[in-house]
């Protein structure tokens, strides 16, 4: 049994006549009769009762008709899924995301993507930038949203989605909270809550570099991977933290974010769309084209990897 025979069976059952069925199938009547006879031999039962007025399904044929139609339907769905994937209109897109991408970027991007490409299935996994880049190399992820600049030697294409600056998160009980903006050097003697080097090396290096560019090496009192955790520790009065400005959108009670007045020229942090260079699928290309519509940094060239600061 094959799909061609099932299509002939269903067409004949609906037409009730070999001649009409052959016309609908764009084939001659004798080959159709031979094909149906072979199908009946394979089934071990007659599927049609031949009469002078036409052909009629036997009880066995009636029992087979619904599943035959369902099989043809699923076969067409399978064919369409392949065509959609080939054209980048459908398929599974595995995406690694950093937590801060969920604050503003993804709530705007995802609904429009679903509306424009309803057949694309998204598999979102929250991870650190380093884990996402490793996942691109291992093909665990197709694309990712990472914090950039990054420290990674592999050949990635980074397409900036926004450009942001560090802000200083302080406890509302801190004397520093009386200000709206501050030079980072004024916080040099504060205990800092920093990102662990072994878990988030790029962001850790950038935060350390930012302090050094203001003339000091911070005293690290605590380490935390997630921005929300850093904010909670800041609210608890354990120290201050450098976080991207977008973190203001999820700032908890008891924390105030101060703009930095001594930002070095050209020193920024942001979110970039990351993908492996070359060999990208049509689906990744479609997603990239759509995602870049939401970039707020269209004129920002992807930066080269930052170098780790020296201690």
């Amino acid at each position: 049994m094959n799909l061609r025979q099932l299509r002939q069976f269903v067409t004949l059952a609906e037409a009730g006549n070999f001649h009409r069925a052959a016309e609908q199938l764009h084939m001659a009547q004798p080959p159709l009769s031979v094909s149906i006879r072979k199908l009946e031999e394979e089934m071990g039962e007659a599927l049609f009762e031949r009469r002078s007025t036409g052909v009629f399904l036997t009880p066995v044929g009636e029992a087979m008709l619904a599943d035959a139609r369902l099989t043809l339907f699923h076969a067409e769905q399978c064919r369409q899924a392949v065509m959609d994937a080939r054209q980048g209109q459908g398929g599974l897109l595995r995406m690694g995301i950093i937590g801060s991408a969920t604050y503003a970027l993804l709530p705007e991007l995802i609904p429009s993507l679903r509306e424009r490409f309803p057949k694309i299935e998204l598999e979102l996994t929250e991870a650190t930038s380093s884990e996402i880049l490793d996942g691109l190399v291992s093909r665990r992820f197709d694309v990712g949203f990472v914090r950039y600049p990054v420290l990674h030697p592999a050949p990635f294409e980074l397409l900036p989605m926004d450009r942001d600056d560090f802000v200083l998160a302080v406890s509302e009980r801190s004397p520093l909270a009386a200000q709206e903006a501050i030079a980072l050097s004024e916080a040099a003697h504060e205990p800092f809550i920093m990102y662990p080097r072994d878990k988030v090396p790029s962001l850790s290096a950038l935060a350390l570099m930012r302090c050094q560019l203001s003339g000091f090496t911070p005293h690290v009192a605590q380490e935390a991977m997630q921005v929300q955790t850093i904010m909670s520790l800041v609210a608890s009065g354990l120290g201050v933290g450098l976080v991207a400005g977008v973190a203001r959108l999820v700032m908890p009670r008891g924390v105030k974010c101060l703009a930095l007045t001594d930002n070095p020229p050209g020193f920024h942090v942001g979110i970039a769309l990351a993908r492996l260079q070359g060999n990208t699928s049509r689906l990744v290309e479609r997603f990239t084209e759509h995602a870049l519509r939401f970039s707020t940094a269209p004129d920002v060239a992807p930066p080269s990897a930052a170098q780790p600061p020296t201690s």
Side-chain angles (χ1 to χ4, degrees):
M1 186 195 311
N2 54 47
L3 292 176
R4 177 180 56 82
Q5 287 176 306
L6 287 180
R7 189 170 292 108
Q8 292 169 348
F9 165 74
V10 170
T11 302
L12 180 58
E14 293 174 347
N17 179 283
F18 271 100
H19 179 71
R20 285 195 299 270
E23 286 184 337
Q24 293 175 22
L25 292 166
H26 305 288
M27 62 184 300
Q29 181 175 330
L32 175 60
S33 298
V34 171
S35 182
I36 293 297
R37 181 63 65 187
K38 287 182 178 179
L39 180 62
E40 289 178 317
E41 290 174 357
E42 183 176 349
M43 294 295 101
E45 292 284 348
L47 301 176
F48 294 96
E49 181 182 349
R50 282 87 169 159
R51 302 178 189 172
S52 59
T53 55
V55 293
F56 301 87
L57 285 171
T58 64
V60 173
E62 290 281 3
M64 179 176 168
L65 182 60
D67 283 334
R69 284 171 170 159
L70 189 60
T71 300
L72 292 175
F73 170 78
H74 284 302
E76 176 59 24
Q77 291 292 101
C78 182
R79 185 188 69 83
Q80 187 61 49
V82 171
M83 290 182 59
D84 290 338
R86 182 186 302 134
Q87 298 169 3
Q89 301 281 351
L92 175 64
L93 185 70
R94 300 164 303 169
M95 186 188 312
I97 58 171
I98 56 173
S100 54
T102 65
Y103 301 162
L105 176 60
L106 291 182
E108 293 186 3
L109 171 60
I110 298 302
S112 66
L113 181 72
R114 290 192 177 281
E115 181 177 356
R116 186 179 179 195
F117 300 110
K119 294 182 180 180
I120 292 180
E121 180 183 353
L122 295 177
E123 180 182 282
L124 305 180
T125 303
E126 185 176 358
T128 66
S129 293
S130 293
E131 290 170 341
I132 292 170
L133 295 176
D134 288 340
L136 290 174
V137 173
S138 66
R139 307 295 176 144
R140 178 188 174 199
F141 299 129
D142 302 304
V143 295
F145 286 108
V146 301
R147 181 65 61 188
Y148 83 97
V150 300
L151 304 172
H152 208 294
F156 299 107
E157 185 177 8
L158 296 177
L159 304 173
M161 296 300 298
D162 70 6
R163 188 171 70 181
D164 204 349
D165 293 302
F166 277 128
V167 295
L168 187 67
V170 303
S171 169
E172 289 184 344
R173 298 189 300 274
S174 168
L176 297 177
Q179 307 175 68
E180 297 299 326
I182 188 176
L184 184 57
S185 57
E186 295 180 47
H189 300 294
E190 296 286 333
F192 273 74
I193 301 164
M194 297 288 278
Y195 305 93
R197 288 188 180 185
D198 60 331
K199 300 294 179 57
V200 279
S202 294
L203 200 50
S204 173
L206 289 172
L208 183 56
M209 183 188 300
R210 179 63 188 84
C211 291
Q212 291 181 348
L213 289 172
S214 288
F216 69 98
T217 297
H219 164 61
V220 180
Q222 297 285 336
E223 290 186 339
M225 287 178 53
Q226 301 296 334
V227 172
Q228 296 94 326
T229 306
I230 290 177
M231 292 281 208
S232 295
L233 295 177
V234 168
S236 300
L238 295 180
V240 300
L242 281 173
V243 296
V246 71
R248 291 187 179 100
L249 297 176
V250 292
M251 190 167 55
R253 290 183 300 175
V255 175
K256 184 174 182 179
C257 287
L258 309 180
L260 299 178
T261 60
D262 58 346
N263 279 322
F267 188 96
H268 302 285
V269 294
I271 295 176
L273 171 63
R275 62 184 194 177
L276 281 177
Q277 291 179 349
N279 299 322
T280 56
S281 68
R282 187 69 180 122
L283 177 57
V284 169
E285 293 291 346
R286 288 273 191 183
F287 175 78
T288 300
E289 178 271 328
H290 182 80
L292 289 179
R293 297 182 177 193
F294 294 83
S295 172
T296 58
D299 299 325
V300 179
S304 57
Q307 297 301 314
T310 57
S311 57

